Amino acid sequence: MPLEGDLVRLREIRESDLDLFAELRNDLEMQAWSRTLPPDYTIEMIRRRYWDRDFAYRRTDAIFIIETKDKEEVAGMISYSDLVDRMEATWGVAVHKRFWGTGVGHDAADTLLHFLFHELGLRVVRLWTQSGNERAVAAFEKLGFKVAVRAPNAIFKGGQYVDNLCMDLLREERYALHPDLKDH
């Protein structure tokens, strides 16, 4: 069952989504941070990593396709991993450039954050990015994330050194930003 936001639906991965996964993973501007330089993900690598993994009922990680509700266009991907029950998870998002500034990424993020805090009862959600991606940092700050760890000059990207950032959002901060939601 997909997660529903105001603008988006977060749904399961389909075979037809693999091309987009490769495009997002290979464009450093869209994904904001990469462990693989230069990016050279092939469809077959994406298939092995995301599509061919064994099915499990574990909820320690999940990957969702961001699909617009109005036109059912695939706008990107969003995920969580390393979930520790009722405690924490690492979160990530990659939105295709053509959807930047449309509210789609914000709605997808807000939808998944609601699920993580309200349904799974997490205490903190973390993400990793880099200081050179000012657009991503600003978007995360708008959602309430704050820089928790800064590793200065840890990433060489685009011909310059930038800081590796770990940002987090605490449960109390999330609910303070959304007084319409009741914490349970």
Side-chain angles (χ1 to χ4, degrees):
M1 182 166 152
L3 301 175
E4 297 273 341
D6 293 330
L7 303 174
V8 302
R9 177 179 302 109
L10 306 182
R11 64 160 173 80
E12 78 287 346
I13 302 167
R14 299 178 185 149
E15 177 77 24
S16 60
D17 300 321
L18 299 182
D19 287 338
L20 177 75
F21 267 61
E23 183 179 350
L24 292 172
R25 293 293 300 173
N26 286 321
D27 188 320
L28 292 177
E29 189 178 13
M30 280 189 282
Q31 78 163 335
W33 186 77
S34 178
R35 295 179 195 163
T36 308
L37 292 174
D40 58 358
Y41 284 90
T42 65
I43 297 296
E44 189 54 39
M45 291 166 72
I46 297 294
R47 180 175 283 110
R48 284 195 316 265
R49 179 161 184 199
Y50 298 109
W51 189 252
D52 292 341
R53 63 189 188 154
D54 290 334
F55 177 79
Y57 285 104
R58 293 178 312 133
R59 62 179 190 172
T60 58
D61 65 289
I63 304 164
F64 301 93
I65 291 296
I66 302 168
E67 181 179 79
T68 62
K69 287 171 75 172
D70 60 349
K71 297 182 181 178
E72 297 184 349
E73 293 179 283
V74 175
M77 60 187 270
I78 192 165
S79 65
Y80 67 85
S81 60
D82 305 321
L83 184 137
V84 176
D85 267 345
R86 314 263 321 146
M87 292 302 293
E88 64 185 3
T90 301
W91 175 84
V93 62
V95 176
H96 197 282
K97 292 175 192 176
R98 72 179 183 271
F99 293 95
W100 288 0
T102 66
V104 165
H106 184 87
D107 188 50
D110 198 54
T111 301
L112 185 57
L113 289 170
H114 178 77
F115 175 75
L116 293 173
F117 284 112
H118 197 71
E119 300 299 329
L120 298 186
L122 297 187
R123 307 293 313 150
V124 63
V125 175
R126 294 187 177 88
L127 64 86
W128 289 90
T129 190
Q130 44 87 9
S131 62
N133 193 324
E134 295 168 2
R135 175 186 283 273
V137 172
F140 300 143
E141 287 174 340
K142 186 175 178 183
L143 289 162
F145 283 87
K146 296 177 183 162
V147 174
V149 177
R150 178 182 297 270
N153 297 318
I155 299 171
F156 189 75
K157 183 174 171 186
Q160 64 182 7
Y161 285 98
V162 294
D163 300 346
N164 192 5
L165 304 176
C166 175
M167 300 179 78
D168 63 21
L169 176 60
L170 303 177
R171 180 181 193 85
E172 302 80 37
E173 296 167 340
R174 168 78 180 163
Y175 283 99
L177 288 170
H178 296 276
D180 53 313
L181 300 176
K182 182 174 168 61
D183 192 359
H184 56 271

